[in-house]
Amino acid sequence: MDSFSSPSMSSSGSSPNPEALMEQIKAQLAQAYAQELLETVGNKCFAKCVTKPGSSLSGSESSCVSRCVDRYIEATGIVGRALFSHR
């Protein structure tokens, strides 16, 4: 089954179950969001915190990356709550 196939489609080709289709879309959006979040945080925090890439992070680089990720996730949560509170 490819990414466009829906398990809610019957073998006779009738229209998909709207609830199942919505759940599939939600799952795909959540996966895409998670991938984008990891890529963005990784790139931004790495660029900000790691000045001399090597085989391991120094203590200060590690704590910088940790704080950076924490702040990014906190900010994303604040924005998400603000967007969804106006529904």
Side-chain angles (χ1 to χ4, degrees), residues 3-87:
S3 62
F4 297 107
S5 298
S6 173
S8 62
M9 292 280 273
S10 69
S11 58
S12 65
S14 64
S15 62
N17 175 346
E19 292 83 19
L21 187 57
M22 185 59 79
E23 288 303 314
Q24 183 180 8
I25 291 170
K26 285 180 183 179
Q28 289 174 347
L29 285 173
Q31 181 181 4
Y33 174 76
Q35 287 174 323
E36 183 176 343
L37 177 70
L38 288 173
E39 184 177 330
T40 301
V41 169
N43 290 337
K44 289 186 182 295
C45 293
F46 186 87
K48 179 182 187 297
C49 298
V50 181
T51 55
K52 296 178 184 175
S55 60
S56 64
L57 296 176
S58 70
S60 61
E61 290 171 334
S62 180
S63 62
C64 178
V65 168
S66 180
R67 284 191 312 271
C68 179
V69 169
D70 288 344
R71 282 194 310 261
Y72 195 91
I73 290 172
E74 181 181 3
T76 301
I78 291 168
V79 170
R81 285 189 298 277
L83 287 173
F84 292 111
S85 68
H86 297 320
R87 293 177 89 186

